[in-house]
């Protein structure tokens, strides 16, 4: 896969000029500023311009410490940097449909003052913390894995302390080419996207996990849209037909699907439900102060109360967005409030039980830590770190668990809810899902002794490492688990053996990893579905032995429900 030019800091230097373009951006419906969710920026904290006016210079840092009052007080509110994204509506609801804490609001009742600052130009955490413009900021869990090493290099550090939303359909790979039905069909195609965003990470993960050969993976032609054009630029390229595939997130995702006749989603976070999370990250210096612990606890708990309120009254959440963010005011004016409300269906505002489940606090996998580790690996390989020699930070070091543990200890109902499965699976559901093509197929080299279908310890380790995380990523999917062989031996013997081997893997997944049997269809294809042409392995840049090894794989095909 082509990853384009060097580190993120070089790619996004153009963001310096965003402030000067603010008036033009507003006049064009903010199309070039919508959710540039993964930016980098020099040490300037831009102030959002009023529509029609030139950009204002950076505001001086507000007083802090004893002179300003205790953190979380009326004179020194806890300041949190956000962007114009509907995933943060619950926080605005908790603040009384306002950027600043209003009398009678959830935060006011908890006794903490919070000020949300909209920074659509996305200053770095180093910039925010050095200027004291904010003590906390949003980040996606994958991008946090990029930025924390850079933050440490600058002499600062932070911790995630709250998961606020989980995209489940809001990020997607979309196509208009009728010949593209799955990720593997992207080989040789142009696909537009913004570099080093969560959606880009999703695409990298999907292609690396696919059954494409190494050569075919390089043939996926990523077209990186300029950062200052934002997702609107990606959408424009797709709508104009200059590319037949794009990676987008809402609302440009929903708008593009509506504007391009015959366009459709081939892979999204509606299938990869456990992949992209928005988190709140806070300055470690502030988190470490004993006198601030109660402030951060109230901030944490208040946001989750706002989530409950927003879920109960989504119209209020729409009103909160329109009242506080110019982008949503314009969007609602052009598309209507029902369109804004419809965006909520593609993500989950995560409540206390969701946080506990995602963090593995009631048993099961810690999805946050798994994603953090996975994307640290992905982005280092892609060259997105400002300093490739930045320290590897363990996922455990990246999160402050005090606040979720305290809240969970006080809420038995949330503990019980977190322990329940979020998805249900059935034989009928599997049959329906598998009526459509697989979205992506992952080959895994599960080795067996010659003529045997018994799993060795090494084979189990391969399943644990290479297959289980893929299943966990795709939390709502059904899977076809197929055994495959090379062309050596008789077709009948190979078919029977491949069926037995696939069944052995399925039984292991069911017993050891509690994968519901209804999620799996077990098939044996023998040598009938080669991934590599053994008669011409050089066409895939492989030796014959490598070609045969690829064909002797247990494959996991993903079917979206």
């Amino acid at each position: 896969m082509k990853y384009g030019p060097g580190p993120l800091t070089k790619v996004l230097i153009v963001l310096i000029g965003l402030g000067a373009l603010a008036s033009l951006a507003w006049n064009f419906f903010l199309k070039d500023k919508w959710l540039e969710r993964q930016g980098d920026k020099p040490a300037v904290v831009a102030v959002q311009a009023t529509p029609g006016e030139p950009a204002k210079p950076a505001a001086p840092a507000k007083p802090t410490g004893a002179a300003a009052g205790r953190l979380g007080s009326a004179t020194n509110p806890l300041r949190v940097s956000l962007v114009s994204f509907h995933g943060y509506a619950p926080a605005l609801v908790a603040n009384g449909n306002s950027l600043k804490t209003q009398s009678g609001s959830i935060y006011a009742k908890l006794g903490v003052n919070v000020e949300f600052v909209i920074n659509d130009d996305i200053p770095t955490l180093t910039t925010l913390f050095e200027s004291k413009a904010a003590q906390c900021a949003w980040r996606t869990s994958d991008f946090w894995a990029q930025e924390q090493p850079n933050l440490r290099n600058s002499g600062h550090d932070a911790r995630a302390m709250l998961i606020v939303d989980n995209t489940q359909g809001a990020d997607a790979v979309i196509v208009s080419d009728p010949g593209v039905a799955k990720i593997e069909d992207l080989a040789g195609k142009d696909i537009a996207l913004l570099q080093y965003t969560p959606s880009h990470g999703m695409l990298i993960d999907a292609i690396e996990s696919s059954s494409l050969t190494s050569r075919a993976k390089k043939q996926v032609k990523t077209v990186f849209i300029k950062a200052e054009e934002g997702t609107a630029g990606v959408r424009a390229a797709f709508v104009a037909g200059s590319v037949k595939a794009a990676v987008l997130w809402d609302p440009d995702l929903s708008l593009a699907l509506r504007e391009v006749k015959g366009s459709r989603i081939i892979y999204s976070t509606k299938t990869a439900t456990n992949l992209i999370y928005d988190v709140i990250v806070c300055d470690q210096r502030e988190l470490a102060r004993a006198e601030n612990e109660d402030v951060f606890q109230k901030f944490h708990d208040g946001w989750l109360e706002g989530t409950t309120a927003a879920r109960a009254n989504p119209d209020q959440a729409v009103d909160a967005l329109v009242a506080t963010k110019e982008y949503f005011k314009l969007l609602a004016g052009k598309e209507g409030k029902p369109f804004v409300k419809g965006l909520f269906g593609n993500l989950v505002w995560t409540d206390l039980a969701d946080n506990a489940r995602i963090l593995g606090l009631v048993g099961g996998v810690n999805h946050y830590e798994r994603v953090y580790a996975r994307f640290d690996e992905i982005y280092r390989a892609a060259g997105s770190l400002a300093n490739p020699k930045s320290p590897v930070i363990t996922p455990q070091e990246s999160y402050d668990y005090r606040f979720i543990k305290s809240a969970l200890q006080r809420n038995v109902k949330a503990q019980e809810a977190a322990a329940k499965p979020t998805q249900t699976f059935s034989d009928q559901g599997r049959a329906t899902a598998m009526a459509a093509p697989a979205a992506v197929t992952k080959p895994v080299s599960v080795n067996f002794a010659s003529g045997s279908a018994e799993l060795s310890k090494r084979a189990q380790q391969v399943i644990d490492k290479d297959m289980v995380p893929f299943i966990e990523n795709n939390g709502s999917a059904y899977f076809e688990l197929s055994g495959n062989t090379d062309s050596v031996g008789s077709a009948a013997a190979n078919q029977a053996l491949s069926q037995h081997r696939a069944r052995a893997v399925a039984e292991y997944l069911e017993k050891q990893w509690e994968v519901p049997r209804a999620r799996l269809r077990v098939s044996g294809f023998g040598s009938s579905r080669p991934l590599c042409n053994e008669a011409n392995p050089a066409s895939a840049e492989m030796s014959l032995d490598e070609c045969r090894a690829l064909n002797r794989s247990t494959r996991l095909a993903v079917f979206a429900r």
Side-chain angles (χ1 to χ4, degrees):
M1 178 176 238
K2 300 177 182 178
Y3 293 111
L8 177 63
T9 48
K10 294 181 181 178
V11 176
L12 297 187
I13 280 177
V14 291
L15 284 174
I16 301 172
L18 278 176
L21 294 172
S23 176
L24 181 63
W26 287 111
N27 289 335
F28 280 88
F29 194 47
L30 286 181
K31 288 182 178 178
D32 64 345
K33 281 181 68 69
W34 170 249
L35 271 183
E36 289 153 10
R37 286 164 66 182
Q38 311 303 336
D40 201 353
K41 186 175 173 67
V44 176
V45 179
V47 176
Q48 193 175 27
T50 302
E53 294 183 2
K56 300 176 183 178
K62 297 182 179 181
T64 59
R70 183 174 181 268
L71 184 66
S73 65
T75 56
N76 185 22
L78 176 66
R79 290 183 293 278
V80 182
S81 176
L82 300 178
V83 291
S84 298
F85 184 54
H86 51 289
Y88 311 138
L92 304 172
V93 170
N95 233 12
N97 289 15
S98 174
L99 297 176
K100 296 183 179 181
T101 301
Q102 301 297 302
S103 176
S105 67
I106 290 171
Y107 276 129
K109 291 176 182 177
L110 288 173
V112 63
N113 282 270
V114 180
E115 180 179 344
F116 294 107
V117 183
I118 307 302
N119 285 314
D120 281 324
D121 53 353
I122 314 174
T124 64
L125 292 176
T126 299
T127 296
L128 290 172
F129 295 165
E130 286 185 350
S131 67
K132 301 187 184 300
Q135 292 83 28
C136 302
W138 75 277
R139 286 299 184 263
T140 55
S141 52
D142 65 288
F143 185 62
W144 175 221
Q146 281 189 70
E147 191 168 12
Q148 191 175 17
N150 295 333
L151 185 64
R152 283 204 181 175
N153 284 341
S154 73
H156 295 278
D157 202 0
R159 297 288 186 275
M161 51 85 72
L162 175 64
I163 298 170
V164 297
D165 66 60
N166 171 204
T167 170
Q168 293 193 8
D171 295 77
V173 180
I174 61 175
V175 298
S176 58
D177 186 338
V180 178
K182 56 186 183 296
I183 290 294
E184 284 82 358
D185 295 334
L186 292 173
K189 308 295 183 182
D190 292 340
I191 181 166
L193 67 153
L194 291 182
Q195 192 176 31
Y196 302 142
T197 58
S199 291
H200 184 196
M202 178 185 68
L203 178 68
I204 293 173
D205 184 68
I207 289 177
E208 287 190 355
S209 299
S210 75
S211 57
L212 289 170
T213 64
S214 296
R215 183 174 185 175
K217 288 174 182 177
K218 294 177 183 177
Q219 294 170 352
V220 178
K221 302 173 184 177
T222 47
V223 178
F224 295 124
I225 301 301
K226 292 180 180 179
E228 69 268 27
E229 295 182 24
T231 50
V234 178
R235 177 178 135 219
F238 185 71
V239 172
S242 57
V243 294
K244 297 295 185 181
V247 184
L248 276 169
W249 60 82
D250 271 333
D252 283 289
L253 167 62
S254 294
L255 291 170
L257 288 169
R258 191 178 67 183
E259 292 166 356
V260 179
K261 186 177 181 180
S263 61
R264 63 202 182 284
I265 293 170
I266 62 168
Y267 188 64
S268 79
T269 53
K270 193 172 287 293
T271 301
T273 56
N274 297 320
L275 192 64
I276 298 178
Y277 304 102
D278 276 292
V279 299
I280 297 299
V281 172
C282 298
D283 189 336
Q284 178 62 11
R285 295 171 301 181
E286 301 295 341
L287 287 170
R289 293 190 173 105
E291 65 271 22
N292 289 344
E293 183 170 357
D294 185 55
V295 175
F296 285 109
Q297 187 70 62
K298 290 176 178 178
F299 168 64
H300 174 280
D301 295 353
W303 191 308
L304 295 181
E305 285 190 41
T307 296
T308 301
R311 285 181 175 184
N313 188 355
D315 289 321
Q316 182 188 5
V318 173
D319 291 341
L321 291 169
V322 171
T324 58
K325 298 181 179 183
E326 189 68 19
Y327 179 82
F328 282 101
K329 179 179 178 181
L330 293 170
L331 185 63
K334 183 176 181 181
E335 303 292 338
K337 285 187 176 181
F339 177 83
V340 177
K341 186 177 177 180
L343 299 175
F344 299 162
N346 282 339
L347 58 73
V348 173
W349 294 319
T350 47
D351 62 13
L352 179 57
D354 295 322
N355 270 254
R357 176 188 55 80
I358 293 165
L359 294 169
L361 296 179
V362 289
V365 175
N366 187 321
H367 291 291
Y368 164 82
E369 291 188 0
R370 178 182 56 77
V371 168
Y372 183 98
R374 170 62 176 149
F375 279 92
D376 176 78
E377 174 188 333
I378 284 176
Y379 287 128
R380 283 177 188 273
S384 70
L385 295 184
N387 180 357
K389 295 183 180 179
S390 296
V392 175
I393 299 171
T394 66
Q396 294 81 6
E397 290 181 82
S398 73
Y399 204 97
D400 191 329
Y401 287 91
R402 288 178 294 167
F403 310 105
I404 175 66
K405 287 182 177 179
S406 173
L408 195 61
Q409 188 176 25
R410 292 178 270 120
N411 194 322
V412 175
K413 287 186 178 180
Q415 295 175 34
E416 295 172 346
K420 296 178 180 178
T422 58
Q423 304 283 345
T424 58
F425 301 93
S426 66
D427 292 342
Q428 180 57 51
R430 185 180 69 244
T432 301
M434 292 184 177
V440 62
T441 300
K442 181 179 179 66
V444 181
S445 296
V446 181
N447 294 317
F448 295 84
S450 179
S452 171
E454 183 177 348
L455 287 173
S456 66
K457 288 294 183 183
R458 183 177 180 181
Q460 292 174 2
Q461 290 170 356
V462 169
I463 295 170
D464 297 346
K465 179 178 179 294
D466 295 338
M467 192 175 288
V468 172
F470 188 63
I471 293 172
E472 289 168 346
N473 268 359
N474 295 283
S476 71
Y478 289 91
F479 299 93
E480 179 177 62
L481 188 64
S482 64
N484 300 269
T485 70
D486 59 28
S487 61
V488 177
S490 74
N494 283 339
Q495 195 283 327
L497 185 59
S498 64
Q499 179 80 25
H500 292 319
R501 287 176 172 176
R503 186 176 297 116
V505 175
E507 290 173 354
Y508 177 79
L509 290 171
E510 184 179 8
K511 292 177 181 177
Q512 298 300 320
W513 289 97
E514 300 179 2
V515 176
R517 190 65 182 81
R519 292 188 77 180
L520 302 173
R521 180 172 74 187
V522 177
S523 302
F525 296 125
S527 60
S528 65
R529 297 190 179 184
L531 297 175
C532 174
N533 181 2
E534 294 176 32
N536 184 19
S539 64
E541 298 182 344
M542 290 183 174
S543 68
L544 179 58
D545 287 343
E546 290 172 332
C547 184
R548 284 175 172 168
L550 180 61
N551 289 337
R552 291 193 305 269
S553 57
T554 303
R555 297 171 202 164
L556 203 61
V558 175
F559 292 85
R561 54 169 75 224

